[in-house]
Amino acid sequence: MAGYFIILPIFTLITLSLLLPLFTTNLFTSIGISHHSTSIPWIDDAAECEHTGRDWRDRKCWDNKHNPMF
C-alpha cells in the first residue's frame, strides 16, 4: 500500500510532464495565428483611424489584426 502511494504521484507527474507541452503548444499556436477585429475606443476620428492603418466603419475605428493575447 505504501508503494502505491509513492509510485502513483511519480507516474502522474511523469505523464503530465509529457502531455502538458502538447496541449500548451497547440493552444498558444492557434491563439498566436488567429486575429480578431476589435474597435479602438480612443480613436473617434475617421482620418486618425485611417492614418493608423485601421478601418473606419459604423462610426468606429476597427483593428482587423487584433491579437487576443494583447
Side-chain angles (χ1 to χ4, degrees), residues 24-35:
T24 56
T25 302
N26 290 335
L27 175 67
F28 288 121
T29 303
S30 65
I31 289 175
I33 293 172
S34 65
H35 293 95

Side-chain angles (χ1 to χ4, degrees), residues 1-67:
M1 190 71 154
Y4 177 77
F5 286 116
I6 293 172
I7 293 175
L8 181 65
I10 293 172
F11 281 113
T12 302
L13 289 174
I14 291 171
T15 304
L16 288 177
S17 68
L18 293 173
L19 293 177
L20 190 61
L22 297 175
F23 293 116
T24 56
T25 302
N26 290 335
L27 175 67
F28 288 121
T29 303
S30 65
I31 289 175
I33 293 172
S34 65
H35 293 95
H36 305 279
S37 294
T38 189
S39 66
I40 310 298
W42 59 87
I43 299 178
D44 55 359
D45 180 46
E48 182 181 358
C49 178
E50 292 172 355
H51 176 72
T52 60
R54 297 178 174 105
D55 295 326
W56 183 259
R57 291 184 315 234
D58 302 325
R59 298 177 61 175
K60 291 183 180 180
C61 186
W62 291 92
D63 183 2
N64 294 324
K65 297 180 183 175
H66 179 73
N67 186 340

